[in-house]
Amino acid sequence: MGPLPPDESMSVAEGGTGAAAERLSAIPPGCLHLQRACVDQERIVLTDPAYRADAWQQLPLPHLHPGYHFNFPLGPGSNYDIWARQQEQLPPLLFRPLSDREPTPDLQRPVFDTSTVPLVLVAEWAENYGHTLGNSAAWLHAHLHVAHANWAPRAALVVQTPLGLALPSHWQPLVGPLVPHRPVQTLADFSARRLDTPRGSGSRCFADMLVCSGDHELQSTNVWQASQALVALNSPLPKSPVESALAGCDGTCLRVLFLTRSPKPFMRQVLNLEELVAQCNAWRHTDASSGQTFTADCSIFQPGADLKTNMAAVRSADAIVGLHGAGMANAFFAKAGAAMMEVFMAGWTWQVHRIWLQQDPGAQLQWWALTVNDTAAYSPGELEETLLPHPSLYKGGQGTEKRERDRNVHVPWPGVARLLQEYAGVQAAGGMPAYQARREAQQEPVHYVAQAGGGLEPGGTSTMFGGTFTP
């Protein structure tokens, strides 16, 4: 096909399948809106002859390379990043013009599907459950559903994965309900050549296509609102798998849920978890301002692969306590007014969940934190203990910090009790509005540091890693 003047280009009406194309509304900022585009072998094929080298006024090919990160999947571990000397970046998304030597009938004479709008997404840390929720699902919810995009019912989510690898198993249950038109696919699968497909059948060409990068790791457009939308889309939920630990609970009884991680491998585990739960069940506190008495009914839950079960478990709790990690992202599914109580090791106090909540104007989840700054409370994680001095383990940038992140820890009960006491005080003062007023005033901490020797000091929330508390 030789160069055509612009007024002779194929129109959607001439070569379309499905209903007539409707002008897309509410296109997300930063997305490339392509018209009459195809996909082939992980590339975007542009049929507009203006992109060809023989065009009278050649247009430059689009470029999308946000520099987003991924961890190459390698065996069991806390995070695959323990083997990386440097953070790996997704390669650029590649574009090419339609050629005179196309390999398949659907590209030789394109038929442009108007019933589907592919949204090709370049996702940050796509292998991480928490980042998939915070950086991708939340972004999709904001720009498809909150924005009432007229193309949302036709959207097909297509994810660029590194080197054509498969999508992690959490993508379909965690993101799929937001884009139900088609199952979530990788770009590699969506763009694969099908040599036996006749022209017009199973087209890989579309009247409209969006190529987007979601939020980067420290951005989350509306994580709590998106999580609550996912709860609604998954309803009705099953009965909570968490059983009451007590026969009765007097006063104002707080349901406290301790999240635990898989013990394989044995890393980032709370070593005194059973002891903490016993002390939690014996906890009793009378709020000085209101005279209200609080007690607790405390249990343990290990999130699994079934999203509905995870949702039901956390929604039965008032406070969700656990070590920082992707599993703590399940707390975003909690009911309004509940608390995420995140525990950090001093070497890795990455407060990304707090930052995400601060970016969501509709968030109704309280964030509290405890950092354990006591090396005597740590013990090596399984890989550190069994594989060091492996030449590639915990090397390169942040290698030391990642090793500390992956250690096991004895969490001091006084620190957890302080978080429960502060949460109880906020609840007695009115709940979420009282918490928001506390955060806005910045006179009282929501983060505490348990020091060696038993001291408990205010911790900061002024930087990604906490900073110093300065009222």
Side-chain angles (χ1 to χ4, degrees):
M1 95 190 260
L4 299 176
D7 60 347
E8 295 183 36
S9 301
M10 178 184 287
S11 71
V12 173
E14 291 172 323
T17 63
E22 178 184 14
R23 182 180 296 274
L24 303 191
S25 71
I27 296 173
C31 289
L32 302 176
H33 178 201
L34 307 175
Q35 294 182 294
R36 302 188 303 279
C38 307
V39 291
D40 181 57
Q41 305 290 77
E42 297 191 74
R43 285 163 171 76
I44 309 298
V45 182
L46 305 172
T47 66
D48 187 336
Y51 289 107
R52 292 169 52 110
D54 54 359
W56 289 96
Q57 293 182 322
Q58 185 185 7
L59 295 176
L61 289 173
H63 179 79
L64 184 66
H65 186 211
Y68 282 177
H69 301 98
F70 73 94
N71 288 324
F72 192 85
L74 286 169
S78 171
N79 269 346
Y80 306 133
D81 64 2
I82 60 178
W83 301 106
R85 293 177 181 271
Q86 293 182 339
Q87 292 182 340
E88 297 189 78
Q89 288 191 356
L90 284 166
L93 197 61
L94 299 179
F95 298 79
R96 69 170 177 86
L98 192 70
S99 76
D100 292 339
R101 197 167 64 245
E102 293 299 333
T104 55
D106 60 342
L107 295 181
Q108 290 162 2
R109 286 192 60 78
V111 175
F112 298 99
D113 185 357
T114 61
S115 66
T116 296
V117 178
L119 193 162
V120 181
L121 181 67
V122 182
E124 178 86 295
W125 300 120
E127 70 288 339
N128 183 286
Y129 179 93
H131 283 288
T132 299
L133 177 61
N135 301 139
S136 297
W139 183 89
L140 285 163
H141 175 256
H143 294 295
L144 272 68
H145 299 277
V146 176
H148 301 293
N150 64 353
W151 49 273
R154 297 184 286 145
L157 182 61
V158 180
V159 183
Q160 181 199 20
T161 54
L163 311 176
L165 297 176
L167 270 176
S169 59
H170 61 253
W171 268 82
Q172 186 59 45
L174 200 58
V175 183
L178 298 170
V179 279
H181 178 58
R182 283 192 184 185
V184 182
Q185 287 185 278
T186 67
L187 180 58
D189 290 341
F190 187 74
S191 64
R193 289 177 182 170
R194 298 177 289 274
L195 298 178
D196 58 347
T197 301
R199 176 177 179 265
S201 173
S203 177
R204 294 183 297 155
C205 298
F206 303 90
D208 292 280
M209 182 185 301
L210 296 174
V211 180
C212 308
S213 55
D215 287 331
H216 69 71
E217 60 185 350
L218 291 180
Q219 284 182 314
S220 187
T221 307
N222 60 347
V223 64
W224 189 81
Q225 295 180 65
S227 301
Q228 300 305 302
L230 284 167
V231 170
L233 289 168
N234 279 280
S235 294
L237 298 178
K239 181 178 180 294
S240 172
V242 181
E243 299 291 341
S244 176
L246 302 177
C249 189
D250 62 348
T252 300
C253 186
L254 301 178
R255 293 294 302 273
V256 181
L257 190 63
F258 287 82
L259 296 187
T260 186
R261 302 169 62 92
S262 169
K264 298 180 181 180
F266 197 80
M267 300 160 65
R268 282 205 247 182
Q269 300 291 328
V270 177
L271 298 174
N272 59 329
L273 186 57
E274 297 287 348
E275 177 186 335
L276 288 176
V277 171
Q279 291 170 307
C280 181
N281 278 318
W283 176 75
R284 189 179 187 89
H285 170 70
T286 300
D287 177 62
S289 298
S290 65
Q292 189 173 347
T293 297
F294 290 84
T295 56
D297 185 348
C298 313
S299 304
I300 299 171
F301 176 71
Q302 181 182 316
D306 188 81
L307 182 62
K308 289 189 175 185
T309 300
N310 297 344
M311 288 176 170
V314 298
R315 290 188 74 80
S316 69
D318 298 298
I320 298 103
V321 184
L323 290 181
H324 168 77
M328 278 300 290
N330 285 294
F332 291 120
F333 301 124
K335 62 190 177 184
M340 171 193 287
M341 296 183 176
E342 199 162 12
V343 180
F344 297 96
M345 257 73 99
W348 192 269
T349 56
W350 198 44
Q351 299 180 7
V352 64
H353 293 150
R354 170 187 59 80
I355 293 171
W356 288 352
L357 285 169
Q358 289 176 184
Q359 293 170 359
D360 185 347
Q364 295 292 305
L365 179 68
Q366 301 181 29
W367 182 90
W368 301 83
L370 174 69
T371 294
V372 181
N373 186 27
D374 181 3
T375 56
Y378 306 156
S379 66
E382 182 178 336
L383 297 187
E384 176 186 357
E385 191 168 43
T386 59
L387 294 183
L388 283 180
H390 191 290
S392 297
L393 182 62
Y394 297 122
K395 302 296 182 182
Q398 296 185 316
T400 299
E401 292 87 347
K402 291 170 184 174
R403 182 169 62 179
E404 293 186 17
R405 175 199 66 191
D406 291 347
R407 286 176 169 163
N408 304 311
V409 61
H410 282 83
V411 176
W413 165 247
V416 177
R418 182 60 178 269
L419 297 187
L420 290 175
Q421 175 183 322
E422 296 294 320
Y423 175 67
V426 164
Q427 296 305 96
M432 198 67 202
Y435 174 82
Q436 292 167 334
R438 178 182 181 128
R439 294 292 291 125
E440 290 169 5
Q442 296 185 351
Q443 295 297 308
E444 298 177 275
V446 294
H447 170 211
Y448 292 87
V449 180
Q451 302 286 10
L456 201 61
E457 299 177 0
T461 53
S462 59
T463 70
M464 181 176 69
F465 290 101
T468 302
F469 178 72
T470 53

